[in-house]
Amino acid sequence: MFRRADLRLAAAGAVLLAATSLMPGWLLVLAATALAKGIVALGLLLLMRAGLVPFGQAMFYCLGGYAAGLGSLWLGIRDVLLLLLLAGLAAGAAGWVVGLLIRRYRGIFFAMLSMAFSMILYGVLLKSQDLGSSDGFSVPRPTLLGLTMTGTPALRILFAVTVLLTVLLAWGVSAYLRTAMGQIGPAIRQNEVRVSYLGYEPDRLIHREYAASGLLAGVAGALVAMLVGQVDPGMGFWMTSGEFVFIAILAGTGGIWGSLGAAFILEAVHAIAFDVAPTYWRLILGGTLLVMILRFPAGLSSLAPRRVRRA
Amino acid sequence: MADAPALLEAQGLVMRFGAFTALRGISATIRGGEVVGLIGTNGAGKTTFLNMVTGYLRPTEGRVLLEGRDVTGTGPREMVGRGLARSFQVPQLFPEMTAREHLVLAEALADQGQRSLLGPLPEGGRAEAMLARFGLAAIADTAVSLVPQGQRKLIDIAMALMLRPRLLLLDEPTSGVSSAEKGPLMQTVFEAIRAGGVTVLFVEHDMEIVERYVTRILAFRDGELLADGTPEAVLRDREVARSVLRRKEVAT
Ligand SMILES: Nc1ncnc2c1ncn2[C@@H]1O[C@H](COP(=O)(O)OP(=O)(O)O)[C@@H](O)[C@H]1O
Ligand SMILES: [Mg+2]
């Protein structure tokens, strides 16, 4: 049941894994961060297909990061995989709870409500002295199957875990997009009333996909927290959400490659701009994004060949 | 037919849009096996009536009963789950999807009780037969936004039929279809549902078509039920002849 697209995904993962030993530490962190943001973008892809763009997705990214950090500090869980599981479940559960309310909203109301929730979390974290207020706290290096990791080898292992997880989650999302349920989101975007007249409650799908997108963002946040060794409320700030929205729009709704590619491009432009012009990097980043969005109005994923014929 | 159990009951339905009253207390019963024609001039409230009995609009006053159960205020999703399907006066489609994708999705959602939606789409299933039946095979892979209005109407109706409803509501199935194609279209629809013993309510302006298919007629005028009876009785009714049939050529 493996398709050519799945093989491409596996091949891309294999190339990244093979390159691991050649990459310096800074590049490992950069590439792993890009992949993690790609995982966030996979979740946004689900919502974008249903015509929804949340302006507060960083809430789940931040929650995932804090869940991994606190799971380690408070619960004594050190294993990277268990921490990822914990973060995913925590953020997914939070997505489910917020989804109970947000499932009824569309368009700008959906976007702003999501942002409002994220600002509540940001505000709470900023005021929580036990969690380090605005400084956050450092996240201990996790272990992998009982092995302690330190220094650059630790980064290599975390990068490899990130690659494998990205491939696995991207495969999962692309498999979901091929199911019958995966077609309901685009149908909702195009004609929600008709979807309910076909016997499916649009709110229900949006609730599920919102929770799933929360889970994905949570896993991504946990990966970055363990990679950087630090969490702070900035992970949940609206600027982080804005970056995710940028990635999502740049990606388009055509499939997983647009999402992963957009995350990589944004992270790369970000790094280069910051390196070349430390004062004006925002200008360069913004300009580049503007050009790309003008050049590919339907997103990067519109470059991929489509299965449906258009007359 | 008169002693068959009531499938759909409207009890004193009132619909106000702000200060404007579109329906002024409509009560009607549709029994299992009936084919009911709903007639009335443009603006009489026919579409509003369908919107209310399918749960899309919540009545300002009155109740809707489906098989004796009060379903007032539930949404279309629940009504469809209980065996209802409808088509629309203005086709309600997914502009970027093809005709085949419409019917395949409708099939997947129709079978969601039996087959998980997390499986693949039921491609090559009943949808193919439905495409052939409605003569849509040639445009099956074209995005519907590029398909002519008449065929969009067919896709809209075919989607409703894919749900295998027990109660089918059609809102002006032949509007926007050329007069030569009206007859064959209705024939196709009734062939598709004949085997299942489906109960039908359809809005129609063409009295020839109404007379050919219906067992009963409901005539609306200005949000009121003007007449309810056999085709012979209703079409011979003076008031109906004067205020409904006089403008029968105005199809909206
Ligand atoms: N959503 C609405 N808001 C305000 N007025 C409406 C709305 N829907 C229908 N109407 C009005 O209600 C009346 C009945 O409309 P409709 O049910 O569409 O008539 P028909 O289908 O018999 O032509 C019309 O005067 C129409 O303008
Ligand atoms: Mg109408």
Side-chain angles (χ1 to χ4, degrees):
Chain A
M1 256 304 290
F2 285 96
R3 302 172 176 238
R4 210 187 289 161
D6 299 334
L7 293 178
R8 275 203 292 274
L9 197 57
V15 168
L16 284 174
L17 285 182
T20 306
S21 56
L22 306 173
M23 290 158 75
W26 65 268
L27 189 56
L28 287 169
V29 174
L30 190 70
T33 309
L35 287 171
K37 289 182 177 171
I39 293 175
V40 178
L42 290 172
L44 291 177
L45 173 65
L46 299 179
L47 296 172
M48 287 260 294
R49 279 166 61 91
L52 297 168
V53 183
F55 285 179
Q57 199 68 357
M59 166 170 57
F60 300 116
Y61 184 69
C62 183
L63 265 178
Y66 273 76
L70 295 179
S72 179
L73 290 180
W74 289 0
L75 306 178
I77 303 171
R78 282 298 155 88
D79 188 78
V80 60
L81 300 179
L82 285 180
L83 287 171
L84 287 169
L85 186 68
L86 174 73
L89 290 179
W96 184 264
V97 172
V98 174
L100 289 171
L101 180 70
I102 212 168
R103 60 185 274 169
R104 281 185 273 144
Y105 295 86
R106 304 290 182 267
I108 194 70
F109 303 102
F110 177 91
M112 296 318 283
L113 200 56
S114 133
M115 183 162 169
F117 275 109
S118 83
M119 291 315 284
I120 291 172
L121 176 70
Y122 178 74
V124 168
L125 291 178
L126 215 53
K127 293 273 173 276
S128 302
Q129 292 185 350
D130 287 349
L131 302 179
S133 303
S134 62
D135 295 336
F137 57 87
S138 29
V139 178
R141 273 264 177 268
T143 61
L144 177 65
L145 309 171
L147 299 172
T148 350
M149 307 190 276
T150 48
T152 312
L155 290 182
R156 292 220 158 86
I157 292 170
L158 280 174
F159 175 76
V161 168
T162 309
V163 170
L164 290 174
L165 207 56
T166 308
V167 168
L168 190 72
L169 294 172
W171 176 78
V173 168
S174 75
Y176 170 76
L177 296 184
R178 290 194 301 266
T179 64
M181 200 183 284
Q183 311 309 310
I184 301 174
I188 290 173
R189 172 170 53 79
Q190 293 169 60
N191 192 339
E192 178 165 350
V193 169
R194 190 59 194 241
V195 173
S196 45
Y197 272 107
L198 289 176
Y200 197 89
E201 183 56 57
D203 291 0
R204 188 168 168 214
L205 185 88
I206 286 165
H207 191 179
R208 289 178 173 190
E209 293 193 342
Y210 186 73
S213 80
L215 186 151
L216 290 168
V219 168
L223 280 169
V224 170
M226 290 188 278
L227 202 67
V228 180
Q230 171 80 22
V231 289
D232 65 68
M235 282 180 89
F237 195 46
W238 63 264
M239 295 249 294
T240 315
S241 293
E243 196 181 321
F244 294 151
V245 170
F246 252 139
I247 294 176
I249 290 174
L250 182 58
T253 55
I256 58 163
W257 289 106
S259 306
L260 297 178
F264 249 96
I265 289 177
L266 190 103
E267 211 49 33
V269 174
H270 186 161
I272 294 167
F274 195 74
D275 200 42
V276 173
T279 15
Y280 298 111
W281 67 274
R282 281 178 213 278
L283 207 64
I284 299 180
L285 185 62
T288 315
L289 288 170
L290 197 64
V291 169
M292 297 211 50
I293 286 169
L294 290 175
R295 176 70 189 78
F296 307 111
L300 291 180
S301 57
S302 62
L303 298 177
R306 282 191 53 95
R307 195 170 59 94
V308 174
R309 272 167 280 156
R310 296 278 126 105
Chain B
M1 212 64 91
D3 47 357
L7 194 51
L8 182 72
E9 268 178 273
Q11 297 181 344
L13 289 184
V14 174
M15 189 74 225
R16 276 192 280 274
F17 298 111
F20 176 74
T21 307
L23 284 195
R24 309 161 179 272
I26 300 250
S27 297
T29 302
I30 293 162
R31 299 180 182 281
E34 282 191 299
V35 176
V36 179
L38 176 53
I39 64 173
T41 51
N42 182 19
K46 306 179 296 295
T47 299
T48 303
F49 180 74
L50 291 196
N51 284 342
M52 283 207 286
V53 298
T54 58
Y56 179 66
L57 286 178
R58 179 188 280 269
T60 316
E61 284 170 34
R63 300 198 306 161
V64 178
L65 277 67
L66 191 65
E67 294 183 307
R69 192 195 300 252
D70 190 341
V71 290
T72 322
T74 66
R77 214 276 305 154
E78 288 78 5
M79 300 295 276
V80 171
R82 295 180 192 283
L84 175 149
R86 82 171 278 193
S87 74
F88 296 79
Q89 184 173 350
V90 178
Q92 293 296 312
L93 305 180
F94 309 113
E96 296 167 22
M97 287 166 52
T98 67
R100 176 173 279 121
E101 288 171 330
H102 276 80
L103 299 195
V104 168
L105 181 61
E107 182 174 350
L109 293 178
D111 299 347
Q112 59 183 298
Q114 293 90 59
R115 185 155 18 86
S116 167
L117 289 171
L118 286 172
L121 284 164
E123 272 161 320
R126 287 194 288 128
E128 295 307 316
M130 193 65 81
L131 284 169
R133 190 186 275 278
F134 277 89
L136 294 168
I139 52 109
D141 291 314
T142 308
V144 296
S145 54
L146 303 168
V147 166
Q149 170 75 7
Q151 281 171 317
R152 285 225 288 275
K153 198 91 192 186
L154 298 183
I155 298 167
D156 185 276
I157 296 168
M159 259 204 290
L161 290 174
M162 287 303 296
L163 300 177
R164 290 201 270 226
R166 284 180 297 133
L167 173 60
L168 178 64
L169 311 180
L170 304 168
D171 197 352
E172 305 201 14
T174 67
S175 75
V177 175
S178 76
S179 49
E181 287 170 331
K182 284 184 182 185
L185 162 58
M186 290 309 283
Q187 208 172 326
T188 307
V189 172
F190 278 92
E191 268 168 20
I193 59 181
R194 188 154 296 150
V198 182
T199 307
V200 182
L201 171 73
F202 72 102
V203 178
E204 181 56 66
H205 288 284
D206 186 327
M207 292 307 140
E208 256 179 58
I209 288 177
V210 171
E211 281 192 272
R212 192 177 317 152
Y213 291 105
V214 306
T215 55
R216 187 153 65 95
I217 293 180
L218 303 174
F220 281 17
R221 181 181 63 185
D222 296 336
E224 281 172 357
L225 182 59
L226 183 62
D228 172 359
T230 62
E232 299 76 34
V234 172
L235 294 180
R236 228 181 291 125
D237 183 285
R238 257 233 224 101
E239 278 301 296
V240 172
R242 196 175 62 81
S243 54
V244 179
L245 303 183
R246 140 184 93 94
R247 283 192 276 169
K248 70 175 180 183
E249 66 281 3
V250 183
T252 40

